[in-house]
Amino acid sequence: YTVFSNTTSAAEAKKTDPKVTSIESPHNSMHLAIGSYSYGGQTVGPVVGANGDMGENNTAGLDPIFYFHHCFIDYVFWKWQLAHNNTTHLDVPDASYPGTTPSYPATAPPLDPNKSVQGPAEGQGWEDQLGVNSPLYPFIKDDNTYITGADIIDIPNLTGGRAYTYGPGSLDGIVSPDRVFAP
């Protein structure tokens, strides 16, 4: 799961398996392809000078296509879960594996591509281990505690009227453990 879920962990795994790609990589590419962003006179994305909502973390949710994009990422992730028999649990390595902690501030040069440069989520510290039991701030359950990744792994059996499934889709028939998806 960790290797599939984030680019930092995938970069570590790619050292021994060049086929590894995380879901975060195409996810991020779509944000930039749709919105781009400009910072310090440099444009990242296909449209020079663009600074669209989808290209910025703080404003991406303001673009209506954000929700279609994230629904598809959720669908791809569910297909990965099915292919790896991880529909009710996910195994996450300890904090020593790259990508399981924010690791260091984005503003601290020199930047190391094996460490996160985005930083911790609101309410989390730089050295907090990130895993399926980490709180997903600011989302709160009915009992007033924070939702965690573990609470939302098994989507057809979510509680409180939140369960959902997917109908037939474009990835049906091509998803199997011996195909595209990394463990």
Side-chain angles (χ1 to χ4, degrees), residues 141-142 147 151-152 154-165:
K141 296 187 271 190
D142 294 337
I147 292 175
D151 295 323
I152 56 175
D154 189 6
I155 61 173
N157 295 304
L158 296 176
T159 60
R162 297 177 184 101
Y164 60 99
T165 59

Side-chain angles (χ1 to χ4, degrees), residues 2 11 21 34 48 78 84 95 100-101 103 112 122 148-149 151 159 170:
T2 303
T21 299
I34 295 165
V48 175
W78 179 246
H84 293 279
T100 57
T101 61
S103 301
D112 181 340
E122 185 72 30
T148 68
D151 295 323
T159 60
S170 61

Side-chain angles (χ1 to χ4, degrees), residues 53 56-62:
D53 289 333
E56 298 282 348
N57 289 345
N58 294 338
T59 59
L62 300 174

Side-chain angles (χ1 to χ4, degrees), residues 31-94:
H31 272 277
L32 294 178
I34 295 165
S36 301
Y37 74 91
S38 298
Y39 181 76
Q42 182 179 17
T43 297
V44 177
V47 182
V48 175
N51 212 22
D53 289 333
M54 276 291 283
E56 298 282 348
N57 289 345
N58 294 338
T59 59
L62 300 174
D63 192 323
I65 202 167
F66 172 89
Y67 299 96
F68 292 107
H69 172 52
H70 279 260
C71 287
F72 182 71
I73 294 297
D74 185 71
Y75 169 69
V76 170
F77 184 63
W78 179 246
K79 290 304 206 177
W80 179 90
Q81 287 179 263
L82 289 170
H84 293 279
N85 197 27
N86 283 324
T87 58
T88 59
H89 75 285
L90 295 172
D91 296 320
V92 178
D94 64 36

